[in-house]
Amino acid sequence: MATTRRSFIQRLGVAGGAGLAYSALASLELAPAAAADSFQPLTPRDRPGPGHRSVVVLGGGPAGLCSAYELRKAGYRVTLLEARQRPGGRVWSARGGTVETDLRGERQECRFSDGHHLNVGATRIPQDHLTLDYARELGVPIVPFGNQNANTYVRYAGPTSLNNKPIRYRQAKADLLGYVSELLAKATQRGSLDDTLSTEDKERLAEFLSSYGDLSSDGRYLGSDRRGYVTEPGAGTEFGEVGDPASLSETVRSGIGRNFAFDFGYDQAMQMLTVAGGMDQLHRAFARELGRDVIKYGAEVISCKNTPQGVTVEYKIDKRVRRIEADYVICTIPPHLVPRLQHNLSAEVVAALRTPVPLSSGKLGIEYRRRWWELDDRIYGGASNTDLDIAQIMYPSDNLHAKRGVVVGYYSTGPRHERFDVLNHAGRVAKALDEGAQIHGDKYRKGIAATFSGAWKQTRYSEGAWVSWPGGAEQSAAYRALLEPAGRIYFAGDHLSNAIAWQHGAFVSARAVVGQLNERAHR
Amino acid sequence: MATTRRSFIQRLGVAGGAGLAYSALASLELAPAAAADSFQPLTPRDRPGPGHRSVVVLGGGPAGLCSAYELRKAGYRVTLLEARQRPGGRVWSARGGTVETDLRGERQECRFSDGHHLNVGATRIPQDHLTLDYARELGVPIVPFGNQNANTYVRYAGPTSLNNKPIRYRQAKADLLGYVSELLAKATQRGSLDDTLSTEDKERLAEFLSSYGDLSSDGRYLGSDRRGYVTEPGAGTEFGEVGDPASLSETVRSGIGRNFAFDFGYDQAMQMLTVAGGMDQLHRAFARELGRDVIKYGAEVISCKNTPQGVTVEYKIDKRVRRIEADYVICTIPPHLVPRLQHNLSAEVVAALRTPVPLSSGKLGIEYRRRWWELDDRIYGGASNTDLDIAQIMYPSDNLHAKRGVVVGYYSTGPRHERFDVLNHAGRVAKALDEGAQIHGDKYRKGIAATFSGAWKQTRYSEGAWVSWPGGAEQSAAYRALLEPAGRIYFAGDHLSNAIAWQHGAFVSARAVVGQLNERAHR
């Protein structure tokens, strides 16, 4: 069981001296089971000798910040170069005042009301991710994030009466899982699985199916209050009226269950969490911890080269070129952008960097003047799912019952998002409203106070939401090549982890590299 | 669809003048779809004439507070008598300083740390409940409540390798639903449901089952990362290792799926909500709104009688008996306790009041000095489920990453809770720790800072958690009898609703009675 493994890691962590914030939790008993990886945090005892002491970190996203933060625990001299004027990289929360000009030159200024934001990138945290441990270590408050909501809608094109219109998730689940349970109960009763199931198996399975599908005593699905009411139960004789489900065939053919497994995903199952007030707050906390001596903003890296003695990095701030010599580099720049630097990397490394394929994704935030999803639809968080290009509409889990709120009008990936990539902001809003209105009707177009969209392919310094490794990382020689340093240049980022597109992936990668580098420094 | 119905009610509500807090939301378009019932809030235009103006409300739980609050919108003169020194009735949040002496004379003083509480009664709110509308109207903040969590455990007695030990919910779900999907896919493929399913139905069903069960390309369940990892995916070549599921037969026979349908319940499906800082805050807000002119605390009702002119109520504060004459009474005292008053109710009404059966239930709060469920088990909210008497262990959704936290050590009902009823507080704690340790091991007994238990059967002025109507309310003549006033005495409470044990039930009942009474006042 995972607990056992964690306890072991925990013991290691403490034995090695758990460093800064952990030290308060003194005894072995009380040490946090922080690590989902085998990383052992550095301590002042790991202080490196001359020739190993200075590290330049390229990029101030999660991998860069985490690398710098962990190295500093051992007294490494770190300089972090971040091209943007903010930390966080693809962990970017747009709020009132956020200004961004995309690669095509379109400038957006976010005009959301105070207290509202859009997490353009990372927006949720699974319980098993290191992201939570860093939030705890840095004192950044976390709150529940609604990843699942029975009152949201599914809406898919298709040939049945359940298609081309919004259906509540709770109705879709009750009906489809009811019928599925009925079918299996029937097949079992008919003896068609007698080669697989013993009499006792069959009895226990029948019990389960009856409860799971809310079946009648004769094993049929006839509807259920799980699907919601046509007339809700109230006082006295308002006993509530449950509607009739569509037929088994229609329900099965409608495809309304295509997203049910989302709830089971290792990294999507409830309870999901998020950082209170915007995910960027975690990275602002890292940045505060590092201080302005370490982080240089607006620092665009021009070159990064191994030298006989170490590394040389050139960067530009306000058009002025500066140069640093250091012992090591940790490069967290997105892999496909690294070959654009001046470098002396081998052809093999360059080919490896060019292997992963950047993906299109992005989000649109729509601030409404009225929280109609709560008031009219009784939806508090979660997402509606659709096969339209918007993919989903996400409802805020925060600011519940406030006057206003920011709905995520789309969060799609790949070809579906590419159809937003090609539009300017106004075009994206128009398309998102057209599609969203197919779920929420005309009110979806009304009472809009502000909008902001981010498209990662069009975003300077990212040019992609995350990458995929053709054929999978596990089979990729390029992936493995980048796990080794190129001379004194190390590569880190979620793309070099098995949690791509998650902050966790950036953290485990950063920690692995910090571990490697520190080992070399003490060799 | 429910939305249609709500829009209609909404229109009615506005036409009638939606009253106080609603008025800010001016136009028809913007009126809140507050009502899950057909109640039309009273307004100053409903001001009653002489002989109908004064109402005594017995009991300051949700039904009493709501009745008083709604009547005041029309200018009724209301006196609310509450025997306790606090509002809320069974909506009771224990926190540091809470003192309670139970019917057997055992006194407990709650010593939880600041910011921590135990909702001894109501603890969660479904999205469709009026409770949310009152929270909004009264400006009481609400927050998400974790009702479902893949990282919590199930632990059931039984004969298989999956029994008598904790299993993660995510593992139980992945495996059982994986096998169920495999079984149905197999039965379908064998043609055993060909009388029910067309070729197209079968194709679509196979697609669904493959995704829902995470089946292999040949339709088998071979494990899934949904169940969690033995070795978690990390950086580089830490690709993660998924464990093997137990056999199909063991999985089916273990009964680990007995609680899966909880997630689908109309009033338990995510997203659930709660009042920030303790559910009692909602009722304290009602009480503040009503003021000390309306509410009399420590007022134990002695008698309640119809008179030729109206009603007479006698009550005792500090041993001094007082008497009020009024036009109407709304009695929200638990039904089985009403016949103990001095009264002149008919034998039929008394028999009706004695019909519903009060149920045993209660909770134990355990404040730990360390949030081991987060640190060691990666559990952020939700509940573990078991067939032990504790029924479940609930983990806090609030104060995430705080130093301390209050775990609900049990929340069980009926016979399982009766086995806690008979114990004193120390005995309850000991039993709860013994059973909880079967899920969490020895750490469950350690680092306990404070405990507090509430047992509703043993709680003065309640003497039961909620009631059940033998044979069901719908078939009960007694239930129907109490929906009518006994002279000028009206009865209200969740027991007279179709949402028993929910605040919502108390609210809809109160609103129904306010409507009835007001109609009579203007007849």
Side-chain angles (χ1 to χ4, degrees):
Chain A
M1 217 163 63
T3 321
T4 319
R5 189 171 155 268
R6 278 209 193 87
S7 309
F8 175 61
I9 289 158
Q10 181 178 331
R11 223 165 299 130
L12 271 184
V14 174
L20 306 184
Y22 289 145
S23 59
L25 293 151
S27 82
L28 179 65
E29 178 87 49
L30 296 181
D37 56 5
S38 58
F39 178 67
Q40 185 171 335
L42 309 188
T43 76
R45 276 174 283 163
D46 295 305
R47 192 180 172 76
H52 298 285
R53 199 166 284 166
S54 60
V55 181
V56 179
V57 175
L58 311 185
L65 291 165
C66 178
S67 301
Y69 175 74
E70 293 294 351
L71 285 170
R72 295 270 290 168
K73 290 182 182 174
Y76 282 85
R77 281 203 314 270
V78 181
T79 304
L80 189 155
L81 303 177
E82 169 52 53
R84 297 177 166 109
Q85 294 295 344
R86 59 165 183 85
R90 286 165 289 151
V91 185
W92 178 31
S93 307
R95 47 176 75 77
T98 298
V99 175
E100 179 78 8
T101 301
D102 73 13
L103 287 171
R104 293 175 311 200
E106 183 173 13
R107 181 181 181 278
Q108 284 184 66
E109 182 175 344
C110 183
R111 296 178 188 280
F112 293 156
S113 306
D114 277 1
H116 298 273
H117 68 274
L118 167 71
N119 286 323
V120 185
T123 196
R124 49 194 159 197
I125 314 173
Q127 293 172 112
D128 289 284
H129 279 190
L130 277 176
T131 316
L132 294 182
D133 302 278
Y134 280 114
R136 189 172 63 241
E137 184 165 329
L138 294 165
V140 175
I142 57 158
V143 288
F145 179 89
N147 221 25
Q148 184 187 334
N149 190 332
N151 273 9
T152 59
Y153 297 95
V154 293
R155 190 245 176 239
Y156 305 117
T160 77
S161 67
L162 299 171
N163 294 113
N164 315 312
K165 68 180 188 188
I167 305 285
R168 297 268 191 184
Y169 249 113
R170 67 165 77 244
Q171 178 190 330
K173 278 194 183 172
D175 291 352
L176 183 55
L177 298 174
Y179 283 131
V180 160
S181 300
E182 173 182 326
L183 285 171
L184 183 53
K186 191 190 278 188
T188 312
Q189 217 178 1
R190 287 176 173 180
S192 60
L193 295 162
D194 280 2
D195 57 342
T196 309
L197 298 169
S198 71
T199 308
E200 194 197 337
D201 293 349
K202 285 167 69 173
E203 277 165 18
R204 300 309 298 273
L205 182 61
E207 274 169 41
F208 170 71
L209 293 172
S210 174
S211 135
Y212 196 65
D214 202 7
L215 305 184
S216 64
S217 54
D218 62 345
R220 292 162 66 208
Y221 178 67
L222 304 169
S224 165
D225 62 357
R226 294 174 187 171
R227 68 198 308 279
Y229 289 87
V230 178
T231 310
E232 295 201 33
T237 55
E238 293 171 357
F239 296 111
E241 194 195 333
V242 173
D244 290 326
S247 72
L248 189 156
S249 172
E250 285 217 306
T251 303
V252 167
R253 280 186 298 120
S254 67
I256 51 174
R258 71 186 67 178
N259 198 47
F260 288 1
F262 179 74
D263 300 351
F264 304 140
Y266 178 63
D267 47 17
Q268 295 287 4
M270 291 293 264
Q271 180 66 58
M272 299 294 284
L273 301 142
T274 193
V275 168
M279 197 69 92
D280 65 341
Q281 297 306 314
L282 174 60
H283 301 280
R284 290 185 191 275
F286 269 115
R288 268 196 306 278
E289 193 73 26
L290 293 171
R292 295 304 286 256
D293 287 349
V294 171
I295 307 190
K296 308 214 175 303
Y297 291 108
E300 200 166 324
V301 178
I302 299 167
S303 78
C304 170
K305 290 179 182 166
N306 280 293
T307 63
Q309 300 76 34
V311 288
T312 307
V313 173
E314 288 177 315
Y315 62 100
K316 210 168 51 179
I317 295 187
D318 291 335
K319 294 179 183 161
R320 209 184 120 200
V321 175
R322 296 155 204 245
R323 180 191 175 94
I324 328 180
E325 314 282 340
D327 301 321
Y328 297 102
V329 156
I330 297 179
C331 173
T332 72
I333 293 172
H336 50 294
L337 305 187
V338 178
R340 293 191 202 159
L341 306 178
Q342 294 166 34
H343 64 78
N344 55 3
L345 297 167
S346 71
E348 190 211 351
V349 167
V350 171
L353 288 162
R354 286 188 172 135
T355 300
V357 180
L359 221 86
S360 168
S361 186
K363 292 192 190 121
L364 167 70
I366 311 174
E367 182 181 311
Y368 287 92
R369 292 196 182 87
R370 175 174 176 266
R371 293 173 80 94
W372 48 261
W373 53 94
E374 292 173 358
L375 296 165
D376 303 339
D377 295 78
R378 314 289 299 193
I379 294 173
Y380 291 78
S384 290
N385 195 267
T386 168
D387 53 359
L388 301 167
D389 288 337
I390 56 171
Q392 56 194 314
I393 296 174
M394 300 169 80
Y395 313 92
S397 297
D398 62 352
N399 291 310
L400 301 177
H401 283 174
K403 278 207 154 177
R404 299 175 165 212
V406 173
V407 162
V408 176
Y410 59 77
Y411 173 31
S412 62
T413 54
R416 289 160 87 177
H417 189 268
E418 283 162 17
R419 293 192 276 275
F420 289 103
D421 273 329
V422 297
L423 303 173
N424 65 10
H425 177 67
R428 290 173 193 160
V429 172
K431 178 174 168 64
L433 294 183
D434 281 347
E435 296 188 6
Q438 295 184 50
I439 293 178
H440 287 294
D442 224 36
K443 70 182 170 200
Y444 199 70
R445 305 176 191 279
K446 292 180 182 169
I448 295 173
T451 57
F452 189 86
S453 66
W456 289 109
K457 280 267 202 177
Q458 310 299 334
T459 303
R460 195 179 303 274
Y461 308 122
S462 298
E463 301 193 24
W466 56 83
V467 302
S468 70
W469 290 91
E474 199 160 353
Q475 304 307 322
S476 170
Y479 176 85
R480 286 176 197 258
L482 297 179
L483 301 179
E484 299 303 321
R488 286 173 170 249
I489 300 170
Y490 290 79
F491 300 102
D494 65 300
H495 59 290
L496 295 174
S497 81
N498 299 288
I500 285 180
W502 291 100
Q503 296 172 83
H504 177 77
F507 294 142
V508 289
S509 172
R511 287 152 66 108
V513 160
V514 165
Q516 271 181 63
L517 191 156
N518 187 62
E519 201 188 308
R520 178 170 170 181
H522 291 87
R523 205 175 289 155
Chain B
M1 214 166 64
T3 320
T4 321
R5 189 170 155 268
R6 278 209 192 88
S7 309
F8 175 60
I9 289 157
Q10 183 179 328
R11 223 167 296 131
L12 271 183
V14 173
L20 308 184
Y22 290 145
S23 57
L25 292 151
S27 82
L28 180 64
E29 177 89 47
L30 296 181
D37 56 5
S38 57
F39 179 67
Q40 186 171 333
L42 310 187
T43 77
R45 278 173 283 163
D46 295 304
R47 193 181 169 79
H52 297 285
R53 199 165 286 165
S54 60
V55 181
V56 180
V57 175
L58 312 186
L65 292 165
C66 178
S67 301
Y69 175 73
E70 293 294 349
L71 285 170
R72 296 268 292 168
K73 291 182 182 173
Y76 283 85
R77 282 203 313 270
V78 181
T79 305
L80 188 155
L81 304 177
E82 169 52 53
R84 296 176 167 108
Q85 294 295 344
R86 61 165 181 85
R90 285 166 291 150
V91 184
W92 179 31
S93 307
R95 47 177 74 77
T98 298
V99 175
E100 179 77 9
T101 301
D102 73 12
L103 288 171
R104 293 175 309 200
E106 183 173 13
R107 182 180 181 278
Q108 283 183 68
E109 183 176 343
C110 182
R111 297 179 187 279
F112 292 155
S113 307
D114 277 1
H116 298 274
H117 67 274
L118 167 72
N119 285 323
V120 185
T123 195
R124 49 193 159 199
I125 314 173
Q127 293 172 112
D128 288 284
H129 279 191
L130 277 175
T131 315
L132 294 182
D133 302 278
Y134 280 114
R136 190 172 62 241
E137 184 164 330
L138 293 164
V140 175
I142 57 158
V143 288
F145 179 90
N147 221 26
Q148 186 187 333
N149 190 333
N151 273 8
T152 59
Y153 297 95
V154 293
R155 190 248 175 237
Y156 305 118
T160 78
S161 69
L162 300 170
N163 294 114
N164 315 312
K165 68 178 187 190
I167 305 286
R168 297 268 190 183
Y169 248 113
R170 68 164 78 243
Q171 178 189 332
K173 279 194 183 171
D175 290 352
L176 183 54
L177 298 174
Y179 283 130
V180 159
S181 300
E182 172 182 327
L183 286 171
L184 182 53
K186 189 189 279 188
T188 311
Q189 218 179 359
R190 287 177 174 179
S192 58
L193 294 161
D194 280 3
D195 56 342
T196 308
L197 299 169
S198 71
T199 307
E200 195 198 336
D201 294 348
K202 285 167 70 173
E203 277 165 19
R204 301 307 300 269
L205 183 61
E207 273 169 42
F208 170 71
L209 293 172
S210 174
S211 136
Y212 195 65
D214 203 7
L215 304 184
S216 64
S217 54
D218 61 345
R220 291 161 67 208
Y221 177 69
L222 304 170
S224 166
D225 63 357
R226 295 174 186 171
R227 67 199 306 280
Y229 289 87
V230 177
T231 310
E232 296 200 33
T237 54
E238 294 171 357
F239 295 111
E241 193 195 333
V242 173
D244 290 325
S247 71
L248 190 158
S249 171
E250 284 217 308
T251 303
V252 167
R253 281 186 296 120
S254 67
I256 51 174
R258 71 186 67 178
N259 199 46
F260 288 2
F262 179 74
D263 300 351
F264 304 140
Y266 178 64
D267 46 17
Q268 295 287 3
M270 291 292 264
Q271 180 65 61
M272 300 292 286
L273 302 143
T274 193
V275 168
M279 197 69 93
D280 65 340
Q281 297 306 314
L282 175 60
H283 301 280
R284 291 185 191 275
F286 269 116
R288 269 196 305 277
E289 193 72 25
L290 293 171
R292 294 303 287 254
D293 287 350
V294 171
I295 307 189
K296 306 210 178 304
Y297 291 108
E300 199 166 325
V301 178
I302 299 168
S303 79
C304 170
K305 291 179 182 168
N306 280 293
T307 64
Q309 300 76 34
V311 288
T312 306
V313 172
E314 287 177 314
Y315 62 99
K316 212 167 53 178
I317 294 187
D318 291 335
K319 294 179 183 163
R320 207 181 122 201
V321 175
R322 296 155 203 244
R323 183 189 171 96
I324 328 180
E325 313 282 340
D327 300 321
Y328 298 102
V329 155
I330 297 179
C331 173
T332 72
I333 292 172
H336 50 294
L337 304 186
V338 178
R340 293 191 202 159
L341 306 178
Q342 293 167 34
H343 63 78
N344 55 4
L345 298 167
S346 71
E348 190 212 351
V349 167
V350 171
L353 287 163
R354 287 188 171 134
T355 301
V357 180
L359 220 85
S360 168
S361 187
K363 290 190 191 121
L364 166 69
I366 311 175
E367 182 181 311
Y368 286 93
R369 292 197 182 87
R370 176 174 177 266
R371 293 173 81 95
W372 49 261
W373 54 94
E374 292 173 358
L375 295 166
D376 303 338
D377 296 78
R378 314 289 299 193
I379 294 173
Y380 292 78
S384 290
N385 195 266
T386 168
D387 53 0
L388 302 167
D389 288 337
I390 56 171
Q392 57 193 313
I393 296 174
M394 300 168 81
Y395 312 91
S397 297
D398 62 352
N399 291 311
L400 301 177
H401 283 174
K403 277 205 154 179
R404 298 175 166 213
V406 173
V407 161
V408 177
Y410 60 77
Y411 172 31
S412 62
T413 55
R416 289 160 86 178
H417 189 268
E418 283 162 18
R419 291 190 278 275
F420 288 103
D421 273 329
V422 297
L423 303 173
N424 64 10
H425 177 67
R428 290 173 193 159
V429 172
K431 180 174 167 65
L433 294 183
D434 281 347
E435 297 188 6
Q438 294 184 49
I439 293 179
H440 287 293
D442 224 36
K443 72 183 169 199
Y444 199 70
R445 305 176 190 278
K446 292 180 181 166
I448 294 173
T451 58
F452 189 86
S453 66
W456 289 109
K457 281 267 201 177
Q458 310 298 334
T459 303
R460 195 178 303 275
Y461 309 122
S462 298
E463 301 193 22
W466 55 84
V467 301
S468 69
W469 290 90
E474 199 161 353
Q475 304 306 321
S476 169
Y479 176 85
R480 286 175 196 262
L482 298 180
L483 301 178
E484 298 302 320
R488 286 173 169 251
I489 300 170
Y490 289 79
F491 300 102
D494 65 299
H495 59 290
L496 295 174
S497 82
N498 299 288
I500 286 180
W502 291 102
Q503 296 172 82
H504 177 75
F507 294 142
V508 290
S509 172
R511 288 153 66 109
V513 160
V514 165
Q516 272 181 62
L517 190 158
N518 186 62
E519 201 188 308
R520 179 170 172 182
H522 291 86
R523 206 175 287 155

